[in-house]
Amino acid sequence: MDPATLIGVIGALVFIVVANVMEGGNPMSLMLIPPILLVVGGTVMISLAGGTIADSKLAVRGLKKAFTGSAQNAAVLVPTLVSLSEKARREGLLALEDALTEVDEPFLSRGLTMAIDGTDPEEVRDILEAEVIAVRAEAKQAAKFFNAAGAYAPTIGIIGTVMGLVHVLENLAQPEELGHLIAGAFVATLWGVMSANVFFLPVGARILRLGELETARMELIIEGVAALQAGSNPRVVAQRLQSLLPADQREPEAA
């Protein structure tokens, strides 16, 4: 698990609470159920209205992944792919069948299985690249839900504030209540802006980033399997795969 999102969201909330206390405020005065219910519930429902039920299910999976998913390093696959390439070049593709049991990467296992079965290299690439497209599309759609929520939340908060101010005008005959009512009205705007920038938009960005890392890892595997099928020199395979990695993940010799 990569805790970046959890740390970031909790850290931002802590700073907000601390700043509120330092200014002499009471954090509990911001914990008003009506504006929270309006902003969170209304934003989620409006975001749902902009898509389909299937999109909302993707968003739920994306939310779980944003907080519990890990950013897997593609560099750890390079030694495995190079080792498999050496074995295939020395003993043939069929010799990799025994090595499948030691491969714990499902995507790589599927690619190797097709290669061992003699599937045409172009077909192998097409099938694997179709999976990459599907993963990228899923991440994009899940992120779209939260990015849309981030756009809607501040406006929903303003709606709550307007509703609160209407209530203030209804109670002008009670001056002693006006300060409390006005403060409560603006809490909705606070929750709208805060939920958008502390939760919805960061989660959307996190889902997209994890999707980018996952597809980059898959694309590296595709190149490795293609080189393996072509019988490329293992040293060339290593150089090719290293070139696909970010500079900070490459071996010093390949940097």
Side-chain angles (χ1 to χ4, degrees):
M1 172 182 170
D2 184 306
T5 300
L6 191 62
I7 293 172
V9 171
I10 293 177
L13 292 175
V14 168
F15 278 112
I16 290 171
V17 171
V18 170
N20 180 256
V21 172
M22 290 178 67
E23 291 182 347
N26 180 4
M28 294 309 297
S29 66
L30 306 179
M31 302 299 293
L32 302 180
I33 300 302
I36 294 175
L37 185 64
L38 172 66
V39 170
V40 176
T43 298
V44 170
M45 289 298 103
I46 292 301
S47 300
L48 175 63
T52 66
I53 295 298
D55 294 337
S56 66
K57 292 179 179 179
L58 285 179
V60 172
R61 291 207 298 271
L63 177 62
K64 180 180 178 181
K65 189 172 184 180
F67 283 94
T68 64
S70 60
Q72 296 181 330
N73 192 336
V76 300
L77 290 173
V78 174
T80 300
L81 289 166
V82 172
S83 176
L84 291 170
S85 177
E86 290 174 347
K87 188 176 181 66
R89 185 177 174 86
R90 185 175 60 249
E91 304 175 27
L93 285 174
L94 292 178
L96 298 180
E97 195 164 3
D98 294 335
L100 279 176
T101 56
E102 301 175 5
V103 176
D104 58 359
E105 169 66 51
F107 187 69
L108 175 56
S109 181
R110 287 194 293 276
L112 290 175
T113 299
M114 288 188 287
I116 293 170
D117 290 342
T119 307
D120 183 77
E122 288 300 320
E123 291 184 7
V124 172
R125 179 179 286 275
D126 289 344
I127 292 171
L128 296 180
E129 286 183 346
E131 288 195 44
V132 173
I133 292 172
V135 169
R136 184 178 289 117
E138 180 175 334
K140 183 178 179 180
Q141 189 58 50
K144 182 180 178 182
F145 182 94
F146 290 97
N147 289 335
Y152 294 134
T155 304
I156 298 296
I158 292 173
I159 292 174
T161 296
V162 172
M163 291 169 56
L165 292 177
V166 169
H167 189 50
V168 169
L169 295 176
E170 291 174 345
N171 289 272
L172 290 179
Q174 304 177 38
E176 68 281 358
E177 295 291 330
L178 294 183
H180 174 72
L181 292 174
I182 292 173
F186 282 100
V187 168
T189 296
L190 171 66
W191 276 98
V193 175
M194 187 169 66
S195 65
N197 292 280
V198 175
F199 182 76
F200 292 123
L201 294 178
V203 167
R206 164 75 166 185
I207 293 171
L208 276 180
R209 180 56 180 154
L210 289 179
E212 289 174 355
L213 293 172
E214 185 175 358
T215 53
R217 182 182 175 94
M218 296 170 74
E219 287 169 349
L220 183 139
I221 289 174
I222 291 174
E223 294 301 325
V225 171
L228 185 147
Q229 279 190 287
S232 300
N233 186 302
R235 182 173 298 179
V236 175
V237 174
Q239 292 175 343
R240 169 60 177 159
L241 297 181
Q242 289 286 346
S243 70
L244 297 175
L245 297 173
D248 61 336
Q249 294 181 16
R250 297 175 189 172
E251 293 293 332
E253 298 80 8

